[in-house]
PDB file of all heavy atoms in Angstrom:
ATOM      1  N   VAL A   1       0.859  -1.178   0.000  1.00  0.00           N
ATOM      2  CA  VAL A   1       0.000   0.000   0.000  1.00  0.00           C
ATOM      3  C   VAL A   1       0.902   1.236   0.000  1.00  0.00           C
ATOM      4  O   VAL A   1       1.769   1.374   0.871  1.00  0.00           O
ATOM      5  CB  VAL A   1      -0.940   0.026   1.223  1.00  0.00           C
ATOM      6  CG1 VAL A   1      -1.859   1.249   1.165  1.00  0.00           C
ATOM      7  CG2 VAL A   1      -1.770  -1.261   1.289  1.00  0.00           C
ATOM      8  N   ILE A   2       0.675   2.111  -0.995  1.00  0.00           N
ATOM      9  CA  ILE A   2       1.548   3.278  -1.181  1.00  0.00           C
ATOM     10  C   ILE A   2       0.718   4.543  -0.973  1.00  0.00           C
ATOM     11  O   ILE A   2      -0.290   4.745  -1.662  1.00  0.00           O
ATOM     12  CB  ILE A   2       2.175   3.275  -2.588  1.00  0.00           C
ATOM     13  CG1 ILE A   2       2.899   1.957  -2.855  1.00  0.00           C
ATOM     14  CG2 ILE A   2       3.118   4.454  -2.759  1.00  0.00           C
ATOM     15  CD1 ILE A   2       3.358   1.786  -4.284  1.00  0.00           C
ATOM     16  N   HIS A   3       1.115   5.364  -0.034  1.00  0.00           N
ATOM     17  CA  HIS A   3       0.450   6.643   0.221  1.00  0.00           C
ATOM     18  C   HIS A   3       1.367   7.770  -0.251  1.00  0.00           C
ATOM     19  O   HIS A   3       2.543   7.817   0.126  1.00  0.00           O
ATOM     20  CB  HIS A   3       0.157   6.835   1.713  1.00  0.00           C
ATOM     21  CG  HIS A   3      -0.690   5.747   2.303  1.00  0.00           C
ATOM     22  ND1 HIS A   3      -2.033   5.658   2.104  1.00  0.00           N
ATOM     23  CD2 HIS A   3      -0.354   4.688   3.085  1.00  0.00           C
ATOM     24  CE1 HIS A   3      -2.509   4.605   2.739  1.00  0.00           C
ATOM     25  NE2 HIS A   3      -1.507   3.995   3.343  1.00  0.00           N
ATOM     26  N   ASP A   4       0.812   8.655  -1.051  1.00  0.00           N
ATOM     27  CA  ASP A   4       1.556   9.839  -1.478  1.00  0.00           C
ATOM     28  C   ASP A   4       1.377  10.916  -0.409  1.00  0.00           C
ATOM     29  O   ASP A   4       0.310  11.504  -0.275  1.00  0.00           O
ATOM     30  CB  ASP A   4       1.028  10.333  -2.824  1.00  0.00           C
ATOM     31  CG  ASP A   4       1.881  11.466  -3.386  1.00  0.00           C
ATOM     32  OD1 ASP A   4       2.775  11.959  -2.660  1.00  0.00           O
ATOM     33  OD2 ASP A   4       1.649  11.861  -4.542  1.00  0.00           O
ATOM     34  N   ILE A   5       2.409  11.124   0.386  1.00  0.00           N
ATOM     35  CA  ILE A   5       2.318  12.082   1.497  1.00  0.00           C
ATOM     36  C   ILE A   5       3.084  13.363   1.177  1.00  0.00           C
ATOM     37  O   ILE A   5       3.433  14.121   2.098  1.00  0.00           O
ATOM     38  CB  ILE A   5       2.840  11.447   2.807  1.00  0.00           C
ATOM     39  CG1 ILE A   5       4.292  10.996   2.642  1.00  0.00           C
ATOM     40  CG2 ILE A   5       1.956  10.287   3.226  1.00  0.00           C
ATOM     41  CD1 ILE A   5       4.928  10.525   3.938  1.00  0.00           C
ATOM     42  N   THR A   6       3.309  13.575  -0.127  1.00  0.00           N
ATOM     43  CA  THR A   6       4.029  14.797  -0.514  1.00  0.00           C
ATOM     44  C   THR A   6       3.273  16.035  -0.040  1.00  0.00           C
ATOM     45  O   THR A   6       3.868  16.959   0.541  1.00  0.00           O
ATOM     46  CB  THR A   6       4.196  14.840  -2.036  1.00  0.00           C
ATOM     47  OG1 THR A   6       4.806  13.629  -2.482  1.00  0.00           O
ATOM     48  CG2 THR A   6       5.066  16.009  -2.447  1.00  0.00           C
ATOM     49  N   ALA A   7       1.964  16.056  -0.294  1.00  0.00           N
ATOM     50  CA  ALA A   7       1.161  17.222   0.109  1.00  0.00           C
ATOM     51  C   ALA A   7       1.139  17.372   1.624  1.00  0.00           C
ATOM     52  O   ALA A   7       1.156  18.495   2.148  1.00  0.00           O
ATOM     53  CB  ALA A   7      -0.256  17.073  -0.431  1.00  0.00           C
ATOM     54  N   VAL A   8       1.084  16.229   2.328  1.00  0.00           N
ATOM     55  CA  VAL A   8       1.077  16.281   3.798  1.00  0.00           C
ATOM     56  C   VAL A   8       2.379  16.872   4.308  1.00  0.00           C
ATOM     57  O   VAL A   8       2.369  17.758   5.187  1.00  0.00           O
ATOM     58  CB  VAL A   8       0.856  14.865   4.377  1.00  0.00           C
ATOM     59  CG1 VAL A   8       0.960  14.896   5.898  1.00  0.00           C
ATOM     60  CG2 VAL A   8      -0.501  14.326   3.950  1.00  0.00           C
ATOM     61  N   ARG A   9       3.489  16.386   3.757  1.00  0.00           N
ATOM     62  CA  ARG A   9       4.780  16.925   4.207  1.00  0.00           C
ATOM     63  C   ARG A   9       4.921  18.397   3.801  1.00  0.00           C
ATOM     64  O   ARG A   9       5.465  19.208   4.568  1.00  0.00           O
ATOM     65  CB  ARG A   9       5.916  16.100   3.586  1.00  0.00           C
ATOM     66  CG  ARG A   9       5.990  14.677   4.105  1.00  0.00           C
ATOM     67  CD  ARG A   9       6.436  14.670   5.573  1.00  0.00           C
ATOM     68  NE  ARG A   9       6.523  13.330   6.091  1.00  0.00           N
ATOM     69  CZ  ARG A   9       5.579  12.747   6.821  1.00  0.00           C
ATOM     70  NH1 ARG A   9       4.469  13.438   7.126  1.00  0.00           N
ATOM     71  NH2 ARG A   9       5.701  11.521   7.267  1.00  0.00           N
ATOM     72  N   ARG A  10       4.431  18.732   2.601  1.00  0.00           N
ATOM     73  CA  ARG A  10       4.487  20.133   2.191  1.00  0.00           C
ATOM     74  C   ARG A  10       3.623  20.997   3.118  1.00  0.00           C
ATOM     75  O   ARG A  10       4.016  22.103   3.506  1.00  0.00           O
ATOM     76  CB  ARG A  10       4.009  20.267   0.755  1.00  0.00           C
ATOM     77  CG  ARG A  10       4.161  21.700   0.203  1.00  0.00           C
ATOM     78  CD  ARG A  10       3.637  21.806  -1.213  1.00  0.00           C
ATOM     79  NE  ARG A  10       4.419  21.005  -2.150  1.00  0.00           N
ATOM     80  CZ  ARG A  10       3.933  19.992  -2.828  1.00  0.00           C
ATOM     81  NH1 ARG A  10       2.660  19.638  -2.680  1.00  0.00           N
ATOM     82  NH2 ARG A  10       4.697  19.315  -3.656  1.00  0.00           N
ATOM     83  N   LEU A  11       2.457  20.461   3.480  1.00  0.00           N
ATOM     84  CA  LEU A  11       1.581  21.205   4.390  1.00  0.00           C
ATOM     85  C   LEU A  11       2.233  21.360   5.754  1.00  0.00           C
ATOM     86  O   LEU A  11       2.146  22.433   6.378  1.00  0.00           O
ATOM     87  CB  LEU A  11       0.236  20.476   4.518  1.00  0.00           C
ATOM     88  CG  LEU A  11      -0.811  21.135   5.404  1.00  0.00           C
ATOM     89  CD1 LEU A  11      -1.155  22.530   4.898  1.00  0.00           C
ATOM     90  CD2 LEU A  11      -2.075  20.282   5.490  1.00  0.00           C
ATOM     91  N   GLU A  12       2.875  20.292   6.208  1.00  0.00           N
ATOM     92  CA  GLU A  12       3.566  20.399   7.502  1.00  0.00           C
ATOM     93  C   GLU A  12       4.661  21.454   7.436  1.00  0.00           C
ATOM     94  O   GLU A  12       4.843  22.238   8.383  1.00  0.00           O
ATOM     95  CB  GLU A  12       4.156  19.035   7.876  1.00  0.00           C
ATOM     96  CG  GLU A  12       3.089  18.000   8.255  1.00  0.00           C
ATOM     97  CD  GLU A  12       3.707  16.646   8.514  1.00  0.00           C
ATOM     98  OE1 GLU A  12       4.942  16.489   8.299  1.00  0.00           O
ATOM     99  OE2 GLU A  12       2.969  15.726   8.931  1.00  0.00           O
ATOM    100  N   ARG A  13       5.381  21.445   6.298  1.00  0.00           N
ATOM    101  CA  ARG A  13       6.433  22.446   6.149  1.00  0.00           C
ATOM    102  C   ARG A  13       5.838  23.859   6.086  1.00  0.00           C
ATOM    103  O   ARG A  13       6.360  24.803   6.699  1.00  0.00           O
ATOM    104  CB  ARG A  13       7.242  22.153   4.885  1.00  0.00           C
ATOM    105  CG  ARG A  13       8.453  23.070   4.718  1.00  0.00           C
ATOM    106  CD  ARG A  13       9.315  22.663   3.541  1.00  0.00           C
ATOM    107  NE  ARG A  13       8.639  22.828   2.269  1.00  0.00           N
ATOM    108  CZ  ARG A  13       8.178  21.824   1.538  1.00  0.00           C
ATOM    109  NH1 ARG A  13       8.333  20.568   1.954  1.00  0.00           N
ATOM    110  NH2 ARG A  13       7.561  22.051   0.391  1.00  0.00           N
ATOM    111  N   MET A  14       4.715  23.976   5.343  1.00  0.00           N
ATOM    112  CA  MET A  14       4.065  25.281   5.250  1.00  0.00           C
ATOM    113  C   MET A  14       3.545  25.730   6.609  1.00  0.00           C
ATOM    114  O   MET A  14       3.634  26.920   6.968  1.00  0.00           O
ATOM    115  CB  MET A  14       2.914  25.217   4.239  1.00  0.00           C
ATOM    116  CG  MET A  14       3.386  25.094   2.785  1.00  0.00           C
ATOM    117  SD  MET A  14       2.019  24.872   1.644  1.00  0.00           S
ATOM    118  CE  MET A  14       1.147  26.420   1.871  1.00  0.00           C
ATOM    119  N   ARG A  15       3.002  24.788   7.365  1.00  0.00           N
ATOM    120  CA  ARG A  15       2.522  25.156   8.702  1.00  0.00           C
ATOM    121  C   ARG A  15       3.673  25.590   9.592  1.00  0.00           C
ATOM    122  O   ARG A  15       3.553  26.551  10.357  1.00  0.00           O
ATOM    123  CB  ARG A  15       1.789  23.968   9.329  1.00  0.00           C
ATOM    124  CG  ARG A  15       0.397  23.731   8.742  1.00  0.00           C
ATOM    125  CD  ARG A  15      -0.253  22.520   9.329  1.00  0.00           C
ATOM    126  NE  ARG A  15      -1.607  22.332   8.818  1.00  0.00           N
ATOM    127  CZ  ARG A  15      -2.362  21.277   9.064  1.00  0.00           C
ATOM    128  NH1 ARG A  15      -1.877  20.282   9.819  1.00  0.00           N
ATOM    129  NH2 ARG A  15      -3.588  21.204   8.579  1.00  0.00           N
ATOM    130  N   SER A  16       4.778  24.853   9.468  1.00  0.00           N
ATOM    131  CA  SER A  16       5.942  25.236  10.258  1.00  0.00           C
ATOM    132  C   SER A  16       6.430  26.632   9.858  1.00  0.00           C
ATOM    133  O   SER A  16       6.730  27.473  10.723  1.00  0.00           O
ATOM    134  CB  SER A  16       7.048  24.196  10.058  1.00  0.00           C
ATOM    135  OG  SER A  16       8.208  24.571  10.736  1.00  0.00           O
ATOM    136  N   GLU A  17       6.489  26.857   8.519  1.00  0.00           N
ATOM    137  CA  GLU A  17       6.894  28.176   8.055  1.00  0.00           C
ATOM    138  C   GLU A  17       5.878  29.230   8.454  1.00  0.00           C
ATOM    139  O   GLU A  17       6.241  30.369   8.799  1.00  0.00           O
ATOM    140  CB  GLU A  17       7.059  28.158   6.536  1.00  0.00           C
ATOM    141  CG  GLU A  17       8.223  27.293   6.057  1.00  0.00           C
ATOM    142  CD  GLU A  17       8.270  27.216   4.553  1.00  0.00           C
ATOM    143  OE1 GLU A  17       7.349  27.766   3.905  1.00  0.00           O
ATOM    144  OE2 GLU A  17       9.221  26.604   3.998  1.00  0.00           O
ATOM    145  N   PHE A  18       4.569  28.842   8.418  1.00  0.00           N
ATOM    146  CA  PHE A  18       3.534  29.807   8.804  1.00  0.00           C
ATOM    147  C   PHE A  18       3.691  30.220  10.262  1.00  0.00           C
ATOM    148  O   PHE A  18       3.591  31.399  10.612  1.00  0.00           O
ATOM    149  CB  PHE A  18       2.158  29.179   8.570  1.00  0.00           C
ATOM    150  CG  PHE A  18       1.020  30.058   8.996  1.00  0.00           C
ATOM    151  CD1 PHE A  18       0.694  31.187   8.265  1.00  0.00           C
ATOM    152  CD2 PHE A  18       0.282  29.763  10.128  1.00  0.00           C
ATOM    153  CE1 PHE A  18      -0.354  32.003   8.648  1.00  0.00           C
ATOM    154  CE2 PHE A  18      -0.769  30.574  10.517  1.00  0.00           C
ATOM    155  CZ  PHE A  18      -1.096  31.697   9.785  1.00  0.00           C
ATOM    156  N   VAL A  19       3.940  29.216  11.110  1.00  0.00           N
ATOM    157  CA  VAL A  19       4.133  29.547  12.529  1.00  0.00           C
ATOM    158  C   VAL A  19       5.348  30.450  12.706  1.00  0.00           C
ATOM    159  O   VAL A  19       5.312  31.443  13.466  1.00  0.00           O
ATOM    160  CB  VAL A  19       4.290  28.247  13.355  1.00  0.00           C
ATOM    161  CG1 VAL A  19       4.710  28.579  14.788  1.00  0.00           C
ATOM    162  CG2 VAL A  19       2.990  27.459  13.360  1.00  0.00           C
ATOM    163  N   ALA A  20       6.424  30.098  11.970  1.00  0.00           N
ATOM    164  CA  ALA A  20       7.631  30.931  12.077  1.00  0.00           C
ATOM    165  C   ALA A  20       7.361  32.339  11.557  1.00  0.00           C
ATOM    166  O   ALA A  20       7.785  33.335  12.178  1.00  0.00           O
ATOM    167  CB  ALA A  20       8.767  30.280  11.298  1.00  0.00           C
ATOM    168  N   ASN A  21       6.631  32.438  10.417  1.00  0.00           N
ATOM    169  CA  ASN A  21       6.329  33.759   9.859  1.00  0.00           C
ATOM    170  C   ASN A  21       5.418  34.563  10.777  1.00  0.00           C
ATOM    171  O   ASN A  21       5.611  35.772  10.971  1.00  0.00           O
ATOM    172  CB  ASN A  21       5.680  33.608   8.486  1.00  0.00           C
ATOM    173  CG  ASN A  21       6.663  33.133   7.445  1.00  0.00           C
ATOM    174  OD1 ASN A  21       7.866  33.396   7.558  1.00  0.00           O
ATOM    175  ND2 ASN A  21       6.173  32.422   6.442  1.00  0.00           N
ATOM    176  N   VAL A  22       4.397  33.876  11.321  1.00  0.00           N
ATOM    177  CA  VAL A  22       3.487  34.574  12.243  1.00  0.00           C
ATOM    178  C   VAL A  22       4.258  35.069  13.454  1.00  0.00           C
ATOM    179  O   VAL A  22       4.089  36.212  13.907  1.00  0.00           O
ATOM    180  CB  VAL A  22       2.328  33.641  12.660  1.00  0.00           C
ATOM    181  CG1 VAL A  22       1.563  34.241  13.831  1.00  0.00           C
ATOM    182  CG2 VAL A  22       1.388  33.403  11.489  1.00  0.00           C
ATOM    183  N   SER A  23       5.118  34.186  13.959  1.00  0.00           N
ATOM    184  CA  SER A  23       5.921  34.597  15.134  1.00  0.00           C
ATOM    185  C   SER A  23       6.787  35.793  14.785  1.00  0.00           C
ATOM    186  O   SER A  23       6.910  36.749  15.571  1.00  0.00           O
ATOM    187  CB  SER A  23       6.802  33.419  15.584  1.00  0.00           C
ATOM    188  OG  SER A  23       6.007  32.316  15.941  1.00  0.00           O
ATOM    189  N   HIS A  24       7.391  35.729  13.584  1.00  0.00           N
ATOM    190  CA  HIS A  24       8.247  36.829  13.172  1.00  0.00           C
ATOM    191  C   HIS A  24       7.445  38.115  12.964  1.00  0.00           C
ATOM    192  O   HIS A  24       7.862  39.207  13.401  1.00  0.00           O
ATOM    193  CB  HIS A  24       8.983  36.444  11.888  1.00  0.00           C
ATOM    194  CG  HIS A  24       9.888  37.524  11.386  1.00  0.00           C
ATOM    195  ND1 HIS A  24      11.080  37.843  12.006  1.00  0.00           N
ATOM    196  CD2 HIS A  24       9.761  38.377  10.322  1.00  0.00           C
ATOM    197  CE1 HIS A  24      11.658  38.839  11.359  1.00  0.00           C
ATOM    198  NE2 HIS A  24      10.885  39.176  10.324  1.00  0.00           N
ATOM    199  N   GLU A  25       6.272  37.974  12.274  1.00  0.00           N
ATOM    200  CA  GLU A  25       5.451  39.153  12.012  1.00  0.00           C
ATOM    201  C   GLU A  25       4.890  39.751  13.301  1.00  0.00           C
ATOM    202  O   GLU A  25       4.777  40.975  13.428  1.00  0.00           O
ATOM    203  CB  GLU A  25       4.309  38.792  11.060  1.00  0.00           C
ATOM    204  CG  GLU A  25       4.747  38.404   9.661  1.00  0.00           C
ATOM    205  CD  GLU A  25       5.355  39.581   8.915  1.00  0.00           C
ATOM    206  OE1 GLU A  25       5.018  40.732   9.231  1.00  0.00           O
ATOM    207  OE2 GLU A  25       6.183  39.342   8.007  1.00  0.00           O
TER     208      GLU A  25
END
């Protein structure tokens, strides 16, 4: 069984960046 988790990992990265950006802003 193969799950494409590219979007999940990208979303996690975006969320991490979002938190960092929000913190910075």
